[in-house]
Amino acid sequence: PMRLAHRVKHAHGVWYPAGDRIIAARRLWRLAVLLQLMLSAAADAQAQGRWQQLPAFGAAISRCHGLPGFQAQDVFPTRSPLVVADHLISLVEGKAFAEVGTRNGDIMGCVKHFATSVTAVELDRAHCKVLEKRGFRVVCRDFLSLQPHEMPLADVLYWWPQMSWDQNEAWMRHTMRGYEAANRTVTVVIGFDSHWAADMVSLPRMMHAFGGYAVKRLFFDEGGTWKDMFRLMRTEFRPGSWGVFHLAHFTVGVGGTVRSDHLEQKQGAQTSFPGCGNFRNPMSPKDEPPCPMRWVDEGARIRPWRAG
């Protein structure tokens, strides 16, 4: 060993030749490591071809699938998870239902079996035609353009907006003013997706600012496999058609928890939150305003209006 000391040396757990042979030996070692990684990746790819997607555990199957004539045309996140309809049914059975931003009507197509009437408020004309073909009453206009006498005659109103950072507040204020002027009271249910940063910032702020009284958490799985995950993250900005969905509940209108005039007097500009600061969800689309999670703490300090 002493006679070899001038020819080899120990470094980083590996014996290298000393002097001029060091560079060549290190190159060979790096090539060996790269070859090992390539072989390992190939073995993983071969194994993945044999992996199974086992049935999900814990997520409920929507009752919509068992209804006569029902057939879903979309899948989450193009529309709300179908299990949302299951919860809405518990609220609207024997009552009138309306949805803002109905897309192709999967949620409404399920709820209609239990509600006395259903009304879709949809801006996209292509979707309006699909909804009309499915036999729904359709108001094919921007929801914010509706006058008080044009507001849907509904006991329960549902929406899950695409741009929650602006639309949730704008639609809620419009709903409050419209139903107060129409001397009606409506239960408003708003959807929030756990995979969407803007939604999860908006949820506590809406609850505090507009007197929300309950939040329902739904676990759902609408299929797909682990193989789809990264493709869906690029196209839908979510890892798959599964997750956790939240439904916030509000009493709005003449008998609402918060009245629009009191909201302006008590809270003023404190309830306004368009845009979102500096935090970004890695799965958020490029043009989505970022949402700082610190706003959740700010929202918790907003006191909901109380009579007196």
Side-chain angles (χ1 to χ4, degrees), residues 1-8 18-19:
M2 293 300 296
R3 290 194 298 272
L4 296 176
H6 68 285
R7 294 159 55 186
V8 296

Side-chain angles (χ1 to χ4, degrees), residues 18-293:
D20 296 338
R21 300 180 181 178
I22 291 178
I23 296 177
R26 284 182 176 174
R27 287 177 178 172
L28 289 174
W29 176 71
R30 288 171 182 166
L31 287 173
V33 172
L34 180 60
L35 178 60
Q36 184 179 5
L37 291 174
M38 293 174 62
L39 292 174
S40 177
D44 287 345
Q46 185 177 6
Q48 289 171 8
R50 299 191 300 269
W51 290 349
Q52 300 180 54
Q53 180 68 48
L54 298 175
F57 177 80
I61 298 176
S62 174
R63 64 191 296 184
C64 300
H65 295 293
L67 296 175
F70 177 83
Q71 185 174 1
Q73 296 193 19
D74 295 312
V75 69
F76 174 88
T78 301
R79 51 132 173 88
S80 302
L82 275 184
V83 291
V84 168
D86 293 56
H87 177 69
L88 292 173
I89 288 169
S90 68
L91 301 177
V92 306
E93 193 162 5
K95 300 178 182 179
F97 173 71
E99 182 180 8
V100 181
T102 317
R103 298 291 291 191
N104 289 313
D106 287 348
I107 299 297
M108 188 166 288
C110 181
V111 174
K112 74 173 185 178
H113 291 269
F114 303 88
T116 56
S117 66
V118 293
T119 303
V121 182
E122 174 58 54
L123 177 62
D124 189 286
R125 293 190 178 277
H127 293 313
C128 290
K129 293 179 180 180
V130 173
L131 293 168
E132 290 170 351
K133 288 181 179 179
R134 296 183 75 168
F136 301 136
R137 180 178 183 271
V138 183
V139 179
C140 196
R141 285 172 53 190
D142 182 352
F143 179 60
L144 295 178
S145 73
L146 301 184
Q147 299 300 310
H149 68 279
E150 298 174 310
M151 297 295 283
L153 296 178
D155 300 296
V156 178
L157 180 65
Y158 172 70
W159 69 67
W160 176 40
Q162 185 175 7
M163 298 177 288
S164 54
W165 54 89
D166 284 331
Q167 289 173 313
N168 270 338
E169 182 184 7
W171 290 2
M172 179 63 84
R173 288 179 178 273
H174 185 69
T175 301
M176 293 172 69
R177 289 190 290 264
Y179 283 101
E180 287 171 8
N183 199 34
R184 292 180 58 87
T185 302
V186 62
T187 297
V188 174
V189 182
I190 305 177
F192 298 86
D193 175 21
S194 292
H195 283 145
W196 199 254
D199 277 13
M200 298 317 296
V201 172
S202 177
L203 172 55
R205 293 184 63 84
M206 291 294 293
M207 289 294 291
H208 284 281
F210 296 100
Y213 66 86
V215 177
K216 178 79 170 182
R217 184 168 62 241
L218 302 175
F219 299 87
F220 69 97
D221 189 337
E222 298 196 349
T225 70
W226 59 269
K227 296 179 181 178
D228 303 323
M229 182 178 295
F230 293 103
R231 176 181 61 81
L232 289 170
M233 286 178 66
R234 289 193 298 269
T235 59
E236 302 291 351
F237 312 105
R238 292 161 173 85
S241 298
W242 44 263
V244 181
F245 208 76
H246 304 266
L247 297 176
H249 300 67
F250 306 82
T251 302
V252 174
V254 67
T257 306
V258 179
R259 295 291 299 268
S260 60
D261 54 347
H262 292 145
L263 187 69
E264 298 296 335
Q265 295 172 11
K266 295 281 183 176
Q267 297 176 318
Q270 197 175 24
T271 62
S272 180
F273 47 98
C276 291
N278 298 317
F279 176 82
R280 288 199 64 81
N281 185 332
M283 290 183 291
S284 297
K286 180 180 179 181
D287 297 330
E288 178 190 287
C291 295
M293 293 311 293

